[in-house]
Amino acid sequence: LSAIELLRKEIQHKYTFQDIISRNHQIRRILDILPDIATSDANVLIEGPSGSGKQLFARVLHDLSEKREASFVAVNCGGLAEELVESELFGYRKGAFTGANRDRMGRFEEASGGTIFLDEIGELSPFIQVKLLRVLQEREIERVGDSRKRKIDIRIITATHKDLYARVREGHFREDLYYRLKVFPIQLPPLRERREDIPLLIDHFLRLYAGKRKVPPLTRKLMEKLYHHDWPGNVRELQN
C-alpha cells in the first residue's frame, strides 16, 4: 500500500502544474508556455467550452505573474444585466443615476495593479466594447457620470466559450477589439478530447471532497462508464 501511495504521489506531481491536472498533449503544450505568457503584460484570450477550466488558467497566469501580490478580479460579463455592465465595470459618481447615493469604484479600479478576468467577453454590447477598446488603448477609465479620467495599471485576460471570430464576421464583435484582446490566444479542448485526464481528475476530486474519510476505489465498470461519458459540461460536470 505504501508503494502504491508513493506511485500515486509521483503521478500526481508529474501531471500537476499549479492547480491544473493533465497528461493531455494539448494541455501540456499550453503549460509549457504558460510561465512565459505570465511574465508579459500582454492581453490573453482563452477560448474553450463551458466548464473546461478557463478561469483556472487565468488564475494560474495571475499567480505566475509579477502582479501575483495584487488583486485577481473575475467578472462574468454574460451574468450582468446590460444596463448594469457599464457601472459595474467602470464605477460611477454619486448622483450619476437614480440610486447612486455615493461614489463607487468599478471592477477595473478594484483590479488596478493586478489582473482582471473578463469571462464571456463575447456578450458585451457594442457600446461597452468601445469603452473597453479605449481602456486598452489609453490604460485609463472614466466612471459613469464623471469627467475625470483615472489611470490604471492592469493585466487583462478575457475568455469565451463561443467562436469569437465568428461573432466578428457576423458584425456582433469589433474586429479591432478582437485583435487587441487576442495577443496571446489559448485554446482549451473539451474533456471528451482529453479522456486520458479523466482518471487523474476523478482521483483528485475524490481526495478533495472526501477529506479524511476513506473512499473505496471505483469499480472497473463505473470507471468505464465515466471514461466513455461524453461530458457536455466538461471538467465542471465531472467535478460536480
Side-chain angles (χ1 to χ4, degrees):
L1 287 175
S2 297
I4 291 172
E5 186 61 27
L6 181 62
L7 181 60
R8 183 195 299 275
K9 288 180 179 178
E10 287 179 0
I11 291 172
Q12 286 177 333
H13 176 74
K14 183 177 180 180
Y15 297 120
T16 301
F17 182 89
Q18 301 286 99
D19 292 323
I20 300 169
I21 298 169
S22 180
R23 57 186 294 183
N24 173 262
H25 69 281
Q26 295 180 68
I27 300 294
R28 301 307 297 184
R29 278 204 301 264
I30 295 170
L31 298 183
D32 285 342
I33 63 171
L34 215 56
D36 294 325
I37 298 175
T39 58
S40 166
D41 274 341
N43 303 323
V44 177
L45 173 63
I46 305 174
E47 296 179 283
S50 295
S52 57
K54 296 186 290 295
Q55 182 164 330
L56 175 59
F57 275 79
R59 181 79 213 202
V60 169
L61 279 171
H62 172 74
D63 290 343
L64 293 173
S65 75
E66 295 180 356
K67 299 182 183 294
R68 67 180 71 90
E69 300 300 327
S71 299
F72 174 84
V73 177
V75 183
N76 184 348
C77 300
L80 296 173
E82 188 172 341
E83 63 272 14
L84 298 177
V85 174
E86 184 182 14
S87 59
E88 182 70 22
L89 292 180
F90 304 107
Y92 54 81
R93 187 177 179 183
K94 181 180 179 180
F97 50 83
T98 303
N101 50 18
R102 60 181 177 85
D103 289 353
R104 182 181 182 276
M105 70 168 59
R107 307 306 291 272
F108 276 97
E109 283 185 84
E110 288 178 23
S112 191
T115 302
I116 189 166
F117 172 60
L118 302 175
D119 198 5
E120 303 306 343
I121 191 70
E123 302 299 321
L124 292 181
S125 69
F127 172 69
I128 299 298
Q129 289 178 39
V130 171
K131 296 206 67 169
L132 178 56
L133 186 61
R134 193 173 301 127
V135 171
L136 293 170
Q137 291 171 337
E138 309 296 336
R139 293 290 162 173
E140 59 185 23
I141 62 99
E142 194 175 299
R143 293 181 181 179
V144 177
D146 196 359
S147 58
R148 175 187 165 193
K149 292 179 172 54
R150 303 166 192 266
K151 287 288 184 183
I152 54 170
D153 169 27
I154 202 169
R155 172 76 179 273
I156 298 176
I157 303 175
T158 55
T160 178
H161 74 280
K162 296 182 178 180
D163 183 341
L164 199 55
Y165 191 62
R167 292 186 65 78
V168 171
R169 293 195 305 268
E170 295 163 1
H172 299 306
F173 201 83
R174 293 181 64 98
E175 188 171 22
D176 50 359
L177 177 59
Y178 171 77
Y179 286 116
R180 280 190 173 272
L181 295 175
K182 195 178 181 178
V183 178
F184 277 118
I186 293 177
Q187 183 72 48
L188 299 183
L191 186 56
R192 64 179 176 274
E193 291 180 9
R194 44 180 289 211
R195 292 185 187 274
E196 64 270 41
D197 288 342
I198 291 174
L200 293 173
L201 291 167
I202 287 172
D203 184 70
H204 168 73
F205 290 132
L206 280 176
R207 289 173 167 271
L208 178 66
Y209 294 119
K212 295 181 179 179
R213 291 172 296 175
K214 290 185 178 180
V215 178
L218 271 62
T219 64
R220 180 169 181 165
K221 184 177 180 181
L222 177 54
M223 182 62 81
E224 286 178 353
K225 282 182 175 291
L226 293 172
Y227 187 86
H228 293 292
H229 181 59
D230 195 44
W231 299 111
N234 297 290
V235 179
R236 185 182 297 123
E237 180 186 357
L238 175 60
Q239 180 177 3
N240 290 331

